[in-house]
Amino acid sequence: MPQLRVGLAQINPTVGDIDGNRARALEWCQKAADSACHIVLLPEMWLTGYPIEDLALRESFQMASERAVEQLAHDLVAANLGDIVVVVGHLARSEAEQKLGVPAGAPQNAASVIHQGKVVARYAKHHLPNYGVFDEFRYFIPGNKPCIVRVCGVDVALAICEDLWQDGGPVARVAQHGAGLLCVINGSPFELDKEDARAELIARRAREAGTAIAYVNMVGAQDELVFDGDSMVVNSSGELIARAPQFEEGLMAVDLDLPAAPAAAVLRDGTEVSIISEWPVQPYRPLRSTISPRLDDVAAQYRALEIGLRDYCNKNKFKSVVLGLSGGIDSALVATIAVDALGAANVYGVSMPSEHSSDHSKSDAAELASRLGIHYRTVAIAPFVKAFEDSLELSGLAAENIQARARGVTLMAISNQEGHLVLATGNKSELAVGYSTIYGDAVGGFAPIKDVPKTLVWEMSRWRNAYAVLQRRTVPIPVSSIEKEPSAELRPGQKDSDSLPDYAVLDALLDAYVEQDLGHDALVAAGFDRALVDRVLLMVDRAEYKRRQYPPGTKISNRAFGRDRRLPITNRWTEPTQNH
Amino acid sequence: MPQLRVGLAQINPTVGDIDGNRARALEWCQKAADSACHIVLLPEMWLTGYPIEDLALRESFQMASERAVEQLAHDLVAANLGDIVVVVGHLARSEAEQKLGVPAGAPQNAASVIHQGKVVARYAKHHLPNYGVFDEFRYFIPGNKPCIVRVCGVDVALAICEDLWQDGGPVARVAQHGAGLLCVINGSPFELDKEDARAELIARRAREAGTAIAYVNMVGAQDELVFDGDSMVVNSSGELIARAPQFEEGLMAVDLDLPAAPAAAVLRDGTEVSIISEWPVQPYRPLRSTISPRLDDVAAQYRALEIGLRDYCNKNKFKSVVLGLSGGIDSALVATIAVDALGAANVYGVSMPSEHSSDHSKSDAAELASRLGIHYRTVAIAPFVKAFEDSLELSGLAAENIQARARGVTLMAISNQEGHLVLATGNKSELAVGYSTIYGDAVGGFAPIKDVPKTLVWEMSRWRNAYAVLQRRTVPIPVSSIEKEPSAELRPGQKDSDSLPDYAVLDALLDAYVEQDLGHDALVAAGFDRALVDRVLLMVDRAEYKRRQYPPGTKISNRAFGRDRRLPITNRWTEPTQNH
């Protein structure tokens, strides 16, 4: 059987940085050539980054992406890399569709195959995801032609991301033809348990098609999304041969013995195979491939948050962050993630005690800062609060909110003065029920744990401390921050449990309502207390306006607030009870 | 020719208020029966409201919508309204699709035809818009069958909104059959010049199909969208016969002489016509129909803003609003819109002068409040600013922003204490270039003029004053607010023109970049100064993070910030220059 060495470039693009992504494509092709790969795969939409949202519709951007493909082909030859077959994802202008009455240059999500300075074949994604965080029907004209190139005597077919997930489509057609390898380039974002679903799917499709599959996914973050890599290769029996480490940039070179191309160089539907090289390479000693272990759930989610924050800062050119340290667990976890993402020298903690702040709040905040080694200062908010209270007659919630807003103004002032990005420290449970002060604790350019329910905040904190013990490093989070009863400390003796149920119950209910979209009756049938269901659903529905103005943050769950769950603000719907 | 009296119910639903919308459907059917209509058309997605976003995917909501259809059929009979043929839009669960492997109950955007207590026919929208503000591929399974009912001897075909805009599809098929009337139910949002496009389209389709068209659209607002009604009827030659007033709720009853139904009660594709009544009614004396005049552009946009704000308040149960009055034109226009929307008694103006506020700012704010007759108070922000400045060492932008944020905190405190909705007063030009302070002047639950460029702010203000003169009422906006040079007054002698170009130039450039999506080279080719293009594009691109946290506001342009223009925050793209 012919041999083929496939390079999977599991790498991190930057949206809009077409020149930079092109330059980095060349670097990774050089690495693949250094590893003697015959073909190298770069991720979906590599040259533009992903997702690019409405940039896809801008003609100047489409043209720049097309120019970058040509330029890359040229640069590869200039760098003596003309021999390696390069598969790269990019935004394309469709010439074919132009003839069918669609506007000239209607965009496609495409992969070009480059060899010897030329684009020898091009594939356009057939199946456009338009659910969850995806809006690809808004942007792309679907492709409808398979694409096969013959490389070293092996027929290699292309597919892009969703094409693999949908039954039928290009995968089925290339299987009929007898392709030896299916290469799938991806921009597949992380969410909990997705890596298992991916591995199972890839193995199943390989068995269905009787074709080995090389699956490459990008890494890094773009606004709310984190891409976890998890690139892999399976053989035609669906056996896993190689798997890359999650979340890490790198080139994985994998050797495969593949069936020789069929005699016919034309598919049943008339599509011609693009011939790059008809003849197998001389037999060689294959590399040993590696199957990297998966991270466990909490570790993977923590790592996603760390990368989400790091890339938001790096790609938006923020060097440092500032956040309020309350002594509670949320801000402690965010500070720890920030240190892991950016280094302690780039993290600025601010304690902003009020008259209602307990002693342990102040000491726990200081203790956290000391353990993490971050910059730390105290700004008393009493004078600000007093100035507002002297002038405005406030009581109840209005008075409580003034404290949170004085803190928000303080953090923004420090940010404006010193140039740090402000981090909001709210968790998903609070965001769900509206347990936050808009323009108060909700201020920030980024909200690292907005998709982390409170119970997972505790679990992650315990995990991170245990990890430090294993690493023989300083345990970052004070135990008392983990174990104390949660309180916003906006009035004397206030506890979260005054107005919210136990977080274990609340989070289970929120998971069922927000992530699984169960209605009232289904929630009661699932065992939740009817009165609690009524109360919590109303809180969640009424807090939509706050969520709309909340900063972006990394998605790690199956349904994050934001682009993943889109509800109207004006919404009189209340879940009907059984007696309705 | 058989006669038919068609009732077009141009009415205002509330998203999620299925019970309320159903009850109001019954009321309007009663009015249609009182006017002796044979058939009455209610708008697209009437029972659920529109757009419902991810509510469409929730099973409990789908079930409630289906129950409401059944209940309405039952209620009509109970109210002795069984004879009238009712066409009503709603969210449907698709039984047919269930068999094709799509999840049970996959939702459709449907119209049911109700007669004598039964749903006699159902149509599902074929063409799902998925551009601009629309995401219907996310929600709905497209229909693929035409729907024709025979009413009083006339074959009446159904279509929903986008079905009319797309070539081919159900309109072409019903024309082949020889339907006498095409009824199109709509949820078509207002934007500038759309009413002309609609009228032209409807006339063209009528001529193409040789069929009269009755087009009914909803009125009222839902979050960012305003529906302007503009319901109309054209005959089979495309002549306009009747047109309803824009933006106003009402029933328009129109008499038509229509061709008798063809002998065949089956379409070429096998679809059966649902027979409600084979025989024409006894000849009667037709009503005289009215063609209401259109509002001019500025008047229509002003009215859209007024309704956008009124419905946001009404449907979210806010009785009153509060806003800062700076003496400038933006807050003056917003206050005037608020008075028109909610009445002066429900509008609370707050002057919040700082040391940099000019005398005319304070006097113009007071003068405006007096002219409008709204509640008015002054809160000096100097003590708040001083408290922050005493504690934090601030300079430059950080010091300027403290003033804006002290005002934001003040407005939110009044809102929390007194229950008013806070209005943000920023205009589209400022929002575009980021000329606002996040958590400062950007605070608010709603931003009435966020889609109004500064030059249109002036034009609208002059128009509103002139309108008051025509009406012999108090001219609301002080002339000096219109004529003074714009300034944020955050530092001594500051003027907008220090950092921004002339607004006439800026707005033209923003229109070309934001609404028309032109790239750098096209902008320069259109005559804009190259250096200005570079500077403004960078400002617009960098302000994306601020826009993401800005309150919602009414869309009146062809491309509003928000759901209409979706760009990543993390975005290194800079428009290439010609030499690139």
Side-chain angles (χ1 to χ4, degrees), chain B residues 463-477:
Chain B
W463 171 86
R464 182 63 185 78
N465 276 0
Y467 183 75
V469 171
L470 282 178
Q471 301 272 306
R472 298 171 188 273
R473 300 228 169 151
T474 309
V475 169
I477 301 177

Side-chain angles (χ1 to χ4, degrees), chain B residues 85-356:
Chain B
V85 177
V86 176
V87 177
V88 62
H90 60 92
L91 179 68
R93 285 169 65 83
S94 157
E95 293 305 321
E97 303 297 332
Q98 199 170 339
K99 294 169 197 155
L100 300 168
V102 174
Q108 293 192 305
N109 181 332
S112 282
V113 182
I114 300 173
H115 184 248
Q116 295 296 6
K118 291 207 159 49
V119 174
V120 296
R122 183 174 277 191
Y123 174 81
K125 190 175 186 176
H126 288 35
H127 293 286
L128 303 174
N130 206 67
Y131 52 80
V133 298
F134 303 107
D135 290 289
E136 294 202 358
F137 264 98
R138 181 177 174 90
Y139 302 118
F140 304 124
I141 305 284
N144 55 13
K145 285 199 187 125
C147 175
I148 299 189
V149 293
R150 187 161 296 171
V151 181
C152 307
V154 175
D155 275 4
V156 176
L158 299 189
I160 301 179
C161 206
E162 189 79 3
D163 292 333
L164 193 70
W165 292 79
Q166 299 294 330
D167 287 317
V171 177
R173 270 196 282 175
V174 299
Q176 286 173 349
H177 170 70
L181 176 66
L182 174 63
C183 294
V184 189
I185 65 171
N186 298 272
S188 175
F190 172 78
E191 60 184 42
L192 185 60
D193 298 331
K194 194 165 179 185
E195 68 276 25
D196 298 333
R198 260 188 217 130
E200 189 278 327
L201 174 79
I202 294 165
R204 181 157 53 86
R205 291 288 185 231
R207 285 191 303 269
E208 285 169 8
T211 309
I213 296 181
Y215 176 102
V216 67
N217 188 22
M218 59 179 60
V219 287
Q222 167 62 24
D223 289 349
E224 301 94 328
L225 301 184
V226 172
F227 300 90
D228 54 332
D230 194 27
S231 301
M232 62 188 102
V233 177
V234 300
N235 66 19
S236 60
S237 311
E239 284 170 296
L240 186 64
I241 292 176
R243 197 165 188 177
Q246 288 161 285
F247 299 107
E248 288 177 28
E249 267 203 327
L251 178 86
M252 181 166 76
V254 180
D255 275 311
L256 290 164
D257 294 319
L258 297 168
V266 179
L267 272 67
R268 283 194 204 168
D269 68 358
T271 307
E272 289 182 28
V273 174
S274 302
I275 310 292
I276 293 174
S277 45
E278 282 277 14
W279 303 106
V281 292
Q282 291 293 326
Y284 62 87
R285 186 193 177 94
L287 297 170
R288 185 193 295 266
S289 60
T290 308
I291 297 178
S292 302
R294 299 303 87 189
L295 299 171
D296 74 27
D297 284 353
V298 176
Q301 291 176 98
Y302 187 91
R303 190 100 172 94
L305 299 181
E306 182 189 332
I307 287 165
L309 175 58
R310 179 188 300 144
D311 270 8
Y312 190 86
C313 290
N314 284 350
K315 294 179 180 178
N316 288 295
K317 302 190 180 175
F318 285 100
K319 289 198 167 52
S320 53
V321 296
V322 62
L323 74 161
L325 300 183
S326 69
I329 188 63
D330 298 316
S331 55
L333 180 61
V334 172
T336 306
I337 293 166
V339 168
D340 288 339
L342 305 167
N346 297 312
V347 180
Y348 293 75
V350 186
S351 169
M352 295 173 284
S354 77
E355 55 173 332
H356 305 309

Side-chain angles (χ1 to χ4, degrees), chain A residues 118-138:
Chain A
K118 292 207 159 49
V119 174
V120 296
R122 182 173 278 191
Y123 174 82
K125 190 175 185 176
H126 288 35
H127 293 287
L128 302 174
N130 206 67
Y131 52 80
V133 299
F134 303 107
D135 291 289
E136 294 202 359
F137 264 98
R138 181 177 173 88

Side-chain angles (χ1 to χ4, degrees), chain A residues 44-128:
Chain A
E44 181 178 9
M45 293 287 276
W46 169 264
L47 289 173
T48 51
Y50 180 81
I52 53 173
E53 306 187 45
D54 283 6
L55 285 173
L57 305 175
R58 198 179 295 173
E59 189 183 2
S60 57
F61 190 79
Q62 296 166 4
M63 299 297 284
S65 177
E66 286 286 10
R67 278 197 306 272
V69 179
E70 297 299 325
Q71 185 69 42
L72 176 60
H74 176 269
D75 293 350
L76 284 161
V77 170
N80 268 321
L81 297 169
D83 283 346
I84 192 167
V85 176
V86 176
V87 177
V88 62
H90 61 91
L91 179 68
R93 285 169 66 84
S94 157
E95 292 305 320
E97 303 297 332
Q98 199 169 338
K99 295 170 198 156
L100 299 168
V102 173
Q108 294 192 304
N109 180 332
S112 282
V113 183
I114 300 174
H115 183 248
Q116 295 296 5
K118 292 207 159 49
V119 174
V120 296
R122 182 173 278 191
Y123 174 82
K125 190 175 185 176
H126 288 35
H127 293 287
L128 302 174

Side-chain angles (χ1 to χ4, degrees), chain B residues 540-571:
Chain B
V540 173
D541 293 348
R542 284 196 179 158
E544 189 58 36
Y545 80 98
K546 287 190 188 180
R547 287 190 289 270
R548 205 65 75 89
Q549 294 189 41
Y550 206 77
T554 303
K555 166 186 159 81
I556 58 169
S557 74
N558 306 118
R559 187 176 289 172
F561 290 118
R563 68 158 74 201
D564 216 2
R565 182 182 190 263
R566 308 179 189 174
L567 285 171
I569 297 177
T570 303
N571 176 8

Side-chain angles (χ1 to χ4, degrees), chain B residues 484-552:
Chain B
K484 73 172 73 167
E485 199 175 347
S487 166
E489 295 194 330
L490 293 174
R491 59 174 183 265
Q494 185 182 27
K495 300 240 158 56
D496 288 12
S497 56
D498 300 344
S499 39
L500 296 177
D502 182 78
Y503 276 112
V505 176
L506 179 64
D507 283 356
L509 178 51
L510 291 172
D511 180 79
Y513 183 54
V514 174
E515 299 201 31
Q516 299 170 46
D517 228 6
L518 297 188
H520 183 282
D521 295 348
L523 293 168
V524 172
F528 294 103
D529 175 72
R530 181 181 298 274
L532 183 70
V533 169
D534 287 339
R535 190 158 69 92
V536 170
L537 267 50
L538 203 62
M539 291 170 89
V540 173
D541 293 348
R542 284 196 179 158
E544 189 58 36
Y545 80 98
K546 287 190 188 180
R547 287 190 289 270
R548 205 65 75 89
Q549 294 189 41
Y550 206 77

